[in-house]
Amino acid sequence: MSMARTDGPVGAQEWVPPRAASIDELKSAAADCKGCELYANATQTVFGRGAPHAKIVFVGEQPGDVEDQKGLPFVGPAGRLLREAVDDAGIDPADVYITNAVKHFRFELRGKRRIHQNPGPAHIAACRPWLVAEFALLQPELVVILGATAGRALLGPSFRVTQQRGRLMPWPASAQHPEDFPVAQIQALATIHPSAVLRADNRDIAYTGLVDDLKVAASALG
Ligand code: SF4
């Protein structure tokens, strides 16, 4: 059983239906989650979405401002870029499910602006039971980890996206807590978060790097 490993938030486990039959069932249960304090200021839970029998699960960090308002993951500028990159890498969008390590938007108010804040280790640990439940239902062939926060959430604190990106790794053997992810032996691959492409000095180079990594991911699919 997955548990929050830090003092602080109680964790999502008590909100996760033990025998969920579908992602929709998980999604509606997650709407009431109070496993950490992030639910209090965010608009709503932003659960994963995509193909119910997806071969690839993409895991990002947390929803952004647009996603928080719409209640859907990766619908802002980074999401559009990711969909384009998936297409350019030759991955069928019908094989894809997209989610985040943390399901509520963490931000700081500056005037009326909501400024993105990275989720902390306690939020990531608290929210992990949702990710575990998504993996258990989807049983994907490949996990694609987007960016440093998701990488540290899944692979541990020593993860460095610049050093570990673009390489296929055994999953869940590479996970920080493999026992949390009771899925068959599959593969994982880390790459940059699409928002890093949007922030890059040279977007073309950054985008090409993302697509190249996703081509490696595509090559791993059966
Ligand atoms: S971030 Fe995750 S654990 Fe925290 S309240 Fe939201 S869904 Fe629950």
Side-chain angles (χ1 to χ4, degrees):
M1 179 189 286
S2 177
M3 298 176 68
R5 287 181 172 78
T6 52
D7 292 335
V10 293
Q13 192 64 54
E14 70 178 89
W15 285 270
V16 178
R19 280 172 294 279
S22 68
I23 291 291
D24 281 347
E25 194 180 336
L26 290 181
K27 183 178 175 175
S28 42
D32 297 325
C33 185
K34 296 180 174 54
C36 72
E37 82 282 7
L38 295 185
Y39 78 90
N41 293 328
T43 309
Q44 56 196 317
T45 309
V46 180
F47 210 69
R49 70 164 176 169
H53 302 291
K55 291 182 180 174
I56 307 187
V57 176
F58 285 85
V59 183
E61 178 198 77
Q62 65 164 356
D65 196 352
V66 179
E67 286 84 3
D68 170 79
Q69 292 169 44
K70 296 196 171 168
L72 295 167
F74 287 91
V75 288
R80 278 197 295 279
L81 189 137
L82 178 62
R83 275 192 292 281
E84 203 181 309
V86 162
D87 201 41
D88 285 345
I91 296 170
D92 184 345
D95 288 335
V96 170
Y97 179 92
I98 302 182
T99 193
N100 284 300
V102 171
K103 306 298 197 248
H104 274 104
F105 178 37
R106 187 181 193 211
F107 60 92
E108 170 180 71
L109 265 185
R110 283 196 211 141
K112 288 188 179 158
R113 292 182 62 212
R114 305 193 303 170
I115 308 296
H116 169 279
Q117 274 194 302
N118 290 336
H123 305 119
I124 289 166
C127 213
R128 183 186 288 254
W130 292 118
L131 200 55
V132 170
E134 286 171 296
F135 282 15
L137 265 177
L138 294 163
Q139 295 288 333
E141 292 178 19
L142 182 73
V143 178
V144 175
I145 298 162
L146 298 170
T149 302
R152 284 194 291 272
L154 291 173
L155 302 169
S158 62
F159 172 78
R160 296 287 175 272
V161 69
T162 45
Q163 288 164 21
Q164 285 165 261
R165 66 181 291 184
R167 291 203 315 252
L168 291 167
M169 303 171 276
W171 180 268
S174 306
Q176 186 187 18
H177 298 292
E179 70 282 5
D180 278 356
F181 296 96
V183 292
Q185 196 58 243
I186 56 169
Q187 298 193 88
L189 177 138
T191 185
I192 54 173
H193 193 282
S195 63
V197 176
L198 296 173
R199 289 194 306 268
D201 292 337
N202 189 323
R203 280 194 193 188
D204 288 347
I205 291 177
Y207 180 77
T208 303
L210 173 63
V211 171
D212 286 348
D213 290 346
L214 295 183
K215 283 179 180 168
V216 177
S219 72
L221 295 179

